[in-house]
């Protein structure tokens, strides 16, 4: 590779990364169906690309959370035949597995080698928390991640970790049922 090739690759990545993120914001299903092509790039060097993929995962998780809720509401409201309900059940189970795998990737990237990607993953977790798209079984692990990242070596990541902790406290789904006397 010559210096010109390296400059061209960097320029291309800087243009592709925002495209991936914006496409996921507008058409998360398209990105989700092609995610297998993007995930290998999480191990590539350019942090801009890794951060864009993390942002895309956040957009997908928010949209899939809404889809799961709509499907659950639709299941309660509709009365279909048994075969259709069985197919819907399998689809919802697959969506649950996909969400879990995407959350695992997101949580794993909070320990990325680059502070920009760690910060991007904390920002995505913060957005998910504010939109109440973090599953209840993941709230404690997200809280542990935020507490752990308070010890990060960069100020930016520590700031995002503090914002995430604040957001978790403000959007706590257990707030109404907690007993302060215990």
């Amino acid at each position: 590779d010559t210096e010109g090739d390296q400059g061209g690759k960097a320029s291309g990545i800087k243009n592709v990364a925002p495209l991936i993120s914006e496409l996921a914001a507008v058409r998360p299903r398209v990105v989700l169906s092609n995610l297998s092509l993007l995930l290998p790039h999480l191990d590539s060097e350019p942090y801009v690309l890794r951060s864009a993929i993390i942002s895309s995962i956040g957009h997908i998780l928010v949209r899939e959370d809404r889809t799961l809720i709509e499907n659950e509401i639709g299941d309660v409201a509709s009365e279909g035949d048994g075969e259709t309900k069985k197919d819907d059940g399998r689809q919802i189970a697959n969506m649950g597995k996909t969400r879990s795998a995407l959350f695992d990737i997101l949580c794993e990237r909070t320990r990325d080698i680059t502070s920009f990607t760690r910060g991007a993953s904390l920002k995505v977790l913060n957005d998910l928390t504010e939109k109440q798209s973090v599953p209840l079984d993941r709230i404690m692990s997200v809280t542990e991640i935020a507490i752990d990242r308070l010890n990060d070596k960069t100020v930016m990541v520590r700031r995002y970790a503090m914002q995430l902790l604040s957001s978790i406290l403000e959007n706590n789904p257990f707030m109404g049922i907690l007993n302060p006397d215990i």
Side-chain angles (χ1 to χ4, degrees), residues 120-148:
S121 59
L122 288 171
K123 275 197 321 191
V124 168
L125 286 171
N126 188 30
D127 290 343
L128 292 171
T129 302
E130 288 176 352
K131 294 175 181 171
Q132 298 181 344
S133 294
V134 177
L136 293 179
D137 62 336
R138 294 286 185 139
I139 290 176
M140 285 304 297
S141 62
V142 170
T143 305
E144 290 170 3
I145 287 169
I147 291 170
D148 180 55

Side-chain angles (χ1 to χ4, degrees), residues 59-108:
H59 292 302
I60 291 167
L61 287 171
V62 168
R63 180 61 60 96
E64 289 305 308
D65 185 53
R66 290 181 187 149
T67 303
L68 277 173
I69 291 170
E70 289 169 3
N71 284 342
E72 288 174 6
I73 291 170
D75 285 348
V76 170
S78 70
E79 294 180 15
D81 61 8
E83 192 64 34
T84 305
K85 286 196 179 261
K86 201 180 291 184
D87 289 341
D88 289 346
R90 280 190 221 123
Q91 184 179 8
I92 290 172
N94 286 339
M95 286 170 53
K97 288 178 186 176
T98 301
R99 280 182 58 76
S100 181
L102 292 177
F103 260 105
D104 289 342
I105 291 168
L106 189 57
C107 292
E108 176 185 311

Side-chain angles (χ1 to χ4, degrees), residues 9-77:
K9 286 180 184 177
S11 174
I13 290 170
K14 287 182 181 178
N15 291 325
V16 168
L19 172 72
I20 292 169
S21 184
E22 288 300 316
L23 183 62
V26 178
R27 298 278 187 233
R29 294 262 175 167
V30 171
V31 176
L32 179 61
S33 64
N34 294 295
L35 200 59
S36 62
L37 300 173
L38 294 176
L39 290 180
H41 294 288
L42 283 174
D43 296 327
S44 64
E45 189 178 329
Y47 73 87
V48 176
L49 185 58
R50 291 195 313 264
S51 297
I53 294 170
I54 292 299
S55 175
S56 299
I57 288 173
H59 292 302
I60 291 167
L61 287 171
V62 168
R63 180 61 60 96
E64 289 305 308
D65 185 53
R66 290 181 187 149
T67 303
L68 277 173
I69 291 170
E70 289 169 3
N71 284 342
E72 288 174 6
I73 291 170
D75 285 348
V76 170

